[in-house]
Amino acid sequence: MAKSKTFYICNDCGAESSQWFGKCPACGTYNSLEEQISIQSSVDIPSRGGVSGWQSASTNGKSHNKPAKPRSSLTFDQISDRQIARWESGYGELDRVLGGGVVPGSMVLIGGDPGIGKSTLLLQVSNQLAQRYRILYVTGEESGQQVKLRASRLGVSKSVNVVGDENTVVEEVTPVPIEPQSEVIPVAIDNQSINPDNIGADLYILPETDLEEILREIDSLKPNVAVIDSIQTVFFPALTSAPGSVAQVRECTAALMKVAKHEDITMLIVGHVTKEGAIAGPKVLEHLVDTVLYFEGDRFASHRLLRTVKNRFGATHEIGIFEMVSHGLREVPNPSELFLGNRDDPAPGTAIVVACEGTRPIVVELQALVSPTSYPSPRRAATGIDYNRLVQILAVLEKRVGIPMSKLDSYVASAGGLNVEEPAVDLGIAIAIVASFRDRIVDPGTVLIGEVGLGGQVRSVSQMELRLKEAAKLGFKRAIVPKGTKFPDLNIEILPVSKVIDAIIAAIPHQELTEEDLEPDEDE
């Protein structure tokens, strides 16, 4: 008779404990331990099989003085040097965050808030890849008819094959020769240049949540890319825990990773997120996969940001920018225009900065509003920037410049809702606050780049050449930057400064700004 064992697993870190605690001993999270029952049986877990009986019966546990010989391990010289050709997904923004394209046999995890567009993005990418590769789209949250209805809105529904749906005619799968990876041809972006007769030509839909059925279909169809939407809905029947639990997510992900590496199948997995914004399930889920992407965006705005937080095949902190339109997600070719205001009609309290997300420079407009407070403690509000850095800059302006920020409410926001939390935008925040305090306009043809130190000095930042090239490309004439930095020969005037007060005077060149102007008015 199978024996059962009760233990407790933390939902946040996946740590196991023999008894329940109000606080997880490993990560310190309160009320995160959940009871799990493990039944010791002869059922093999797909992610663990194949290790029993590894010891040869002839040795009988005795060691011999024979020279060691490798069984399956290889040296670096024995491993082939062939370069893996990346596949173009059909969307340059996605290829950017992946490091140049989809790596065959990789495992990519995409997380994001509900309704942000994860399934829409993967369905559009699946349609683009289906023009040259065989794609299996596994959906555990929708039926085949629902996926087809959504695909028809995106223009992807023609010739889509649905596997195993009772309400849909299952088309016969005809083997299609897959072209070698070395002959990858770039796929046309958007559906305008794709032949309508080839839409979804080799895209198969499988509405299923049973892991065994999914693995059986993968083994039968042998796709080049498999999309799992989502990993929290997939379950392994041998485990007693519910779908989405720590044990189920861990075992199902490990089984899919084993198939991806052995069969050289690319896995694109959708992951749910918690109310804190982290991907639901154990932290080991992010350790198992090769790439972790977060799909971000404001539900009141149309743009979406695809951000890389882990990538074994490229740089991290890269972003791709999309816009949600009536027929799905559309790439934004020039994101700086999305986060810039109207430069022909500038307003007091605005400043232009150049932020870098990975290797992509983005020109962003910062807006500040300063007004006398009506409360004993002034209010500070930050949208799109780090609140702690805002408080630090306000303290520097009061101590080093002489502006009484302790008597003023301060509101700072980035245009378009883009999060710009790097130190290079400190100088732009400081200038925008001073401009709002004196109700003056910063020269709209000037960009500000630099970190503000606690002593009031302006410190250098990284990727200065990349930032200046982006500013010059958009037509800016001047750049206020830290002194001591080497500058490239560009069609832009460079104004190096060493202190914040120097930057304030340089940012408003056509207006006289003296120390008396920095004092508050009598009516304030």
Side-chain angles (χ1 to χ4, degrees):
M1 181 178 178
K3 298 181 180 180
S4 61
K5 177 183 177 182
T6 301
F7 60 98
Y8 299 86
I9 296 182
C10 175
N11 280 333
D12 284 355
C13 66
E16 297 184 5
S17 176
S18 59
Q19 61 179 357
W20 185 87
F21 294 97
K23 178 181 178 181
C24 175
C27 65
T29 306
Y30 287 93
N31 198 25
S32 61
L33 294 179
E34 288 190 358
E35 181 181 5
Q36 302 286 340
I37 299 177
S38 173
I39 300 178
Q40 300 178 0
S41 62
S42 58
V43 179
D44 292 331
I45 303 299
S47 63
R48 302 177 185 172
V51 296
S52 60
W54 62 271
Q55 188 177 12
S56 175
S58 61
T59 61
N60 294 325
K62 298 180 181 180
S63 60
H64 299 278
N65 295 326
K66 295 181 179 180
K69 295 183 178 180
R71 299 183 61 183
S72 301
S73 56
L74 300 173
T75 63
F76 279 122
D77 295 335
Q78 295 173 324
I79 299 176
S80 61
D81 294 332
R82 69 178 183 91
Q83 295 183 354
I84 299 178
R86 295 176 182 258
W87 303 341
E88 294 197 13
S89 64
Y91 290 88
E93 296 297 305
L94 178 60
D95 293 340
R96 169 188 283 270
V97 298
L98 291 176
V102 181
V103 177
S106 63
M107 201 168 188
V108 181
L109 176 64
I110 302 178
D113 294 333
I116 201 68
K118 303 182 297 295
S119 300
T120 300
L121 175 64
L122 290 181
L123 189 57
Q124 292 182 224
V125 171
S126 299
N127 172 59
Q128 296 281 1
L129 291 174
Q131 314 307 316
R132 307 204 48 85
Y133 306 102
R134 178 169 292 168
I135 313 298
L136 175 63
Y137 190 100
V138 181
T139 172
E141 302 174 349
E142 301 173 280
S143 65
Q145 289 289 350
Q146 291 173 329
V147 176
K148 189 172 183 179
L149 181 64
R150 180 160 53 90
S152 63
R153 177 175 60 87
L154 303 176
V156 194
S157 61
K158 189 172 183 179
S159 301
V160 174
N161 307 295
V162 181
V163 183
D165 195 337
E166 298 178 356
N167 300 323
T168 308
V169 178
V170 181
E171 297 185 13
E172 182 179 359
V173 179
T174 304
V176 177
I178 305 301
E179 298 188 8
Q181 298 177 1
S182 59
E183 298 181 4
V184 176
I185 299 177
V187 183
I189 298 177
D190 294 331
N191 295 335
Q192 299 176 358
S193 57
I194 295 178
N195 187 353
D197 296 333
N198 295 331
I199 293 181
D202 217 1
L203 174 59
Y204 297 86
I205 309 298
L206 175 63
E208 185 58 68
T209 57
D210 191 337
L211 178 64
E212 294 179 344
E213 294 295 330
I214 295 173
L215 295 179
R216 190 175 295 112
E217 184 63 29
I218 291 176
D219 181 66
S220 174
L221 188 62
K222 289 183 170 44
N224 297 89
V225 179
V227 179
I228 310 297
D229 187 10
S230 63
I231 190 62
Q232 276 78 14
T233 61
V234 179
F235 71 96
F236 181 54
L239 298 178
T240 58
S241 55
S245 63
V246 173
Q248 288 283 5
V249 172
R250 181 178 61 239
E251 294 300 335
C252 292
T253 305
L256 292 172
M257 183 193 65
K258 186 176 180 180
V259 173
K261 301 304 179 183
H262 286 187
E263 303 297 332
D264 202 26
I265 298 174
T266 301
M267 294 281 182
L268 304 178
I269 299 178
V270 174
H272 296 169
V273 296
T274 62
K275 59 182 180 180
E276 290 83 11
I279 294 181
K283 199 65 178 179
V284 70
L285 175 62
E286 299 185 32
H287 290 288
L288 284 174
V289 300
D290 299 312
T291 305
V292 179
L293 306 178
Y294 276 89
F295 214 26
E296 307 170 354
D298 189 352
R299 61 194 181 106
F300 299 107
S302 61
H303 64 272
R304 303 286 187 267
L305 303 180
L306 188 62
R307 191 183 304 271
T308 310
V309 297
K310 174 190 175 182
N311 193 358
R312 290 174 179 164
F313 310 111
T316 57
H317 302 293
E318 291 283 356
I319 66 167
I321 302 179
F322 296 85
E323 184 179 7
M324 183 67 75
V325 294
S326 59
H327 57 275
L329 289 167
R330 181 179 64 87
E331 294 181 284
V332 178
N334 188 4
S336 295
E337 296 180 353
L338 192 64
F339 305 109
L340 270 179
N342 186 5
R343 295 167 57 185
D344 297 331
D345 187 18
T350 60
I352 308 297
V353 298
V354 184
C356 268
E357 295 288 344
T359 59
R360 160 171 275 177
I362 301 178
V363 179
V364 184
E365 178 183 292
L366 298 181
Q367 303 171 350
L369 177 62
V370 176
S371 62
T373 182
S374 303
Y375 304 97
S377 298
R379 184 177 182 185
R380 282 86 168 86
T383 303
I385 65 171
D386 186 25
Y387 176 79
N388 294 325
R389 297 203 70 85
L390 171 61
V391 175
Q392 175 181 312
I393 294 171
L394 294 176
V396 170
L397 290 177
E398 180 162 12
K399 180 69 174 180
R400 307 301 178 186
V401 183
I403 301 178
M405 303 306 303
S406 59
K407 301 178 182 179
L408 303 170
D409 292 336
S410 303
Y411 308 87
V412 181
S414 64
L418 178 68
N419 290 327
V420 284
E421 299 182 352
E422 63 166 340
V425 302
D426 289 356
L427 187 59
I429 296 174
I431 298 301
I433 292 173
V434 174
S436 176
F437 173 69
R438 297 310 308 169
D439 197 24
R440 292 183 176 176
I441 296 175
V442 179
D443 183 12
T446 301
V447 295
L448 300 118
I449 306 170
E451 177 185 359
V452 175
L454 294 179
Q457 68 275 20
V458 180
R459 305 179 59 183
S460 61
V461 297
S462 62
Q463 299 177 314
M464 181 62 72
E465 182 177 354
L466 197 62
R467 301 173 196 266
L468 293 176
K469 285 182 178 180
E470 179 69 13
K473 185 178 70 174
L474 294 177
F476 288 92
K477 302 301 182 183
R478 298 195 315 160
I480 300 177
V481 299
K483 182 178 291 186
T485 308
K486 295 182 179 179
F487 311 108
D489 186 12
L490 298 172
N491 188 22
I492 187 171
E493 181 185 358
I494 304 297
L495 298 178
V497 295
S498 58
K499 295 184 179 180
V500 176
I501 186 64
D502 300 331
I504 294 174
I505 298 174
I508 314 175
H510 301 296
Q511 302 179 25
E512 296 181 359
L513 183 64
T514 62
E515 294 182 359
E516 296 180 357
D517 293 329
L518 297 176
E519 297 295 334
D521 297 335
E522 295 180 359
D523 56 352
E524 295 180 356

